[in-house]
Amino acid sequence: DVLKNRNFMMLWSAGLVSIIGNWVLLAAIPFYIFDLTGSAMATAGVFMAFLAPGIIFGSIAGVFVDRWDKLRTMLVVNLIQMVVVLLLTFVQSAEQSWILFVVLFIESSIAQFFGPAENALLPKLVAEDQLVAANSLNSMNDNLARLIGPAIGGVVLAVYGFSSVVVIDAASFGLAALLIFFVMVSYQRQSASEPVQTEPAKLVMLKARINEIVEEWQAGLGIIRSKPILSNTFIVIGIALFADAIISAILVIFLQEDLGMGSAEFGYIMTARGIGGLIGGIALGQIGERINPRYVLSVSLLALSLAIFAAVNVTTLTALIVIMVVGGIPAVTMFVAVQTIFHKNSPEEYLGRVFGLFQTVLMLLMFLGSAIAGIVGESVPARQLMIGAVVIYLFAAVLGLWLMSERRMIAETAVG
């Protein structure tokens, strides 16, 4: 039913195309940089360059998103990303690897405006009782993309080289921008009567404008602090993604050094995870409104930690693919639960800031996880780091079961 909504369908399709391109690139970059440098720190540095802008700009981006036309913001972001990512074609040697880190940093900085804009726009496109289904479909985007993108990225890197991977990613941004353009035209016509937030006088002093932005940012932070369901969700998912960052930073090294696998096998593994995510997204989209998202979050974290532990202890590609299919299910339901919690417990006018702050916190923790993995990974075997990440995941799951319990939620709300 949600996909019958033309605006949502066009936006969803744009997201799918763009994420496919992202996964084509993300499947290739770690192998490319590791082959160029042979360094665990450099490989982790790819993720750090990608995550750092979220720490610096993520929450501030949410403030601007609440002021700007959200569809136009997404359109411009995709067009700029299309141009910037093509600069990666200049990276041909270890000495030029600095270009890769700079370009990733710039591209990720621009992308910080897209997520909050998309999430803030969603409640305007679908009814409240369709939010779980819409969030499930958006999460399925990532997993549909994993079915296609990593396999393409791994094979294209092995056969045609890194430049071809970059061109595919750039083309995906261009096509996504075209789809968003049509959503923007249709959405503007339907929303012509909606009041538009007015800016202060054009000649307002720069200091006053900065103070205004800071105040709006603080107001968004206050909303999160005032609602235990929001702040507790931040804590639980933040710890989990700290562990996830460790795994992401060393996965390529684990596959190459422990299992003897290359970029093509990495593509198959990510595709397998996408299949699991697709199953999880469809299932949760069908029954999501009957399940409390707080419990979905905690149970998903527990199941995901067990799946990762199993993956660390297998030695064949077939077994790893099966585990990744199973593990892909809770990986999606976890994020759907988080997004639904935010949508249902945040005032509409604060959604951009809530998702922006969420982005900043997650990027900070994931940046720290990647940095630790890169530093420790120079001397500690990748398998041991993976097991340490599993322990952190389990801690997040147990903490979630406690913080998200009905009794604790009632008690904290009453105190607040």
Side-chain angles (χ1 to χ4, degrees), residues 67 199-201 204-214:
R67 291 164 160 247
E199 294 287 341
V204 67
M205 294 176 59
L206 179 60
K207 182 177 179 181
R209 180 65 62 83
I210 293 174
N211 288 338
E212 185 179 340
I213 291 172
V214 171

Side-chain angles (χ1 to χ4, degrees), residues 125-353:
L125 297 182
V126 302
E128 184 177 354
D129 61 356
Q130 292 180 320
L131 280 173
V132 172
N135 282 321
S136 295
L137 283 166
N138 280 339
S139 291
M140 282 168 57
N141 256 354
D142 185 54
N143 291 282
L144 283 168
R146 286 175 190 263
L147 295 177
I148 306 168
I152 294 175
V155 172
V156 170
L157 176 64
V159 178
Y160 299 104
F162 185 65
S163 293
S164 297
V165 171
V166 173
V167 170
I168 292 173
D169 189 30
S172 74
F173 284 128
L175 181 54
L178 181 64
L179 291 167
I180 291 172
F181 173 77
F182 288 111
V183 177
M184 180 174 63
V185 172
S186 174
Y187 179 69
Q188 283 184 331
R189 288 175 181 170
Q190 293 178 8
S191 307
S193 61
E194 290 187 3
V196 179
Q197 283 189 328
T198 58
E199 294 287 341
K202 290 183 178 180
L203 299 178
V204 67
M205 294 176 59
L206 179 60
K207 182 177 179 181
R209 180 65 62 83
I210 293 174
N211 288 338
E212 185 179 340
I213 291 172
V214 171
E215 288 174 2
E216 291 181 12
W217 179 83
Q218 290 174 336
L221 188 61
I223 287 292
I224 296 169
R225 287 175 174 172
S226 67
K227 292 178 174 285
I229 181 65
L230 296 179
S231 55
N232 288 345
T233 301
F234 266 68
I235 293 170
V236 172
I237 194 65
I239 294 171
L241 290 187
F242 172 78
D244 191 75
I246 295 175
I247 295 170
S248 298
I250 61 171
L251 181 58
V252 165
I253 300 172
F254 172 70
L255 292 176
Q256 284 196 327
E257 295 185 349
D258 289 74
L259 302 182
M261 298 179 185
S263 62
E265 289 83 1
F266 179 74
Y268 302 148
I269 291 168
M270 290 297 100
T271 296
R273 185 195 179 284
I275 294 173
L278 183 60
I279 295 170
I282 292 173
L284 194 60
Q286 295 293 322
I287 65 174
E289 289 297 336
R290 288 173 268 169
I291 304 176
N292 193 315
R294 292 186 283 110
Y295 299 131
V296 173
L297 174 58
S298 300
V299 173
S300 296
L301 286 171
L302 180 61
L304 190 56
S305 62
L306 296 176
I308 296 170
F309 180 75
V312 173
N313 289 282
V314 299
T315 56
T316 66
L317 179 61
T318 301
L320 193 56
I321 286 175
V322 171
I323 292 171
M324 292 300 286
V325 171
V326 175
I329 297 175
V332 163
T333 56
M334 170 182 70
F335 276 107
V336 173
V338 170
Q339 291 167 339
T340 304
I341 288 171
F342 287 166
H343 278 133
K344 290 193 172 185
N345 294 277
S346 304
E348 182 178 323
E349 64 272 21
Y350 285 90
L351 277 172
R353 276 164 281 181

Side-chain angles (χ1 to χ4, degrees), residues 23 40 50 87 91 146 163 299:
W23 274 109
F50 191 75
L87 297 174
V91 181
R146 286 175 190 263
S163 293
V299 173

Side-chain angles (χ1 to χ4, degrees), residues 100-122:
L100 187 146
F101 299 114
V102 171
V103 171
L104 281 181
F105 181 87
I106 295 172
E107 191 269 336
S108 181
S109 297
I110 299 163
Q112 299 312 308
F113 294 90
F114 190 92
E118 182 182 28
N119 281 295
L121 179 65
L122 189 62

Side-chain angles (χ1 to χ4, degrees), residues 370-392:
S370 297
I372 290 171
I375 295 170
V376 179
E378 296 286 354
S379 56
V380 175
R383 188 184 297 272
Q384 292 183 19
L385 279 175
M386 298 273 281
I387 293 175
V390 170
V391 174
I392 299 173

Side-chain angles (χ1 to χ4, degrees), residues 27-104:
I29 278 186
F31 282 94
Y32 187 63
I33 196 67
F34 189 66
D35 287 341
L36 284 179
T37 65
S39 168
M41 190 65 225
T43 305
V46 168
F47 296 97
M48 293 165 67
F50 191 75
L51 295 170
I55 303 169
I56 302 170
F57 307 118
S59 60
I60 298 299
V63 174
F64 286 101
V65 163
D66 281 334
R67 291 164 160 247
W68 293 345
D69 181 296
K70 295 166 182 60
L71 280 166
R72 189 171 298 155
T73 299
M74 289 185 281
L75 172 64
V76 172
V77 164
N78 272 279
L79 289 174
I80 297 175
Q81 287 178 300
M82 177 182 67
V83 176
V84 170
V85 77
L86 287 172
L87 297 174
L88 290 173
T89 57
F90 291 102
V91 181
Q92 302 293 333
S93 66
E95 290 73 23
Q96 296 172 324
S97 60
W98 65 269
I99 299 175
L100 187 146
F101 299 114
V102 171
V103 171
L104 281 181

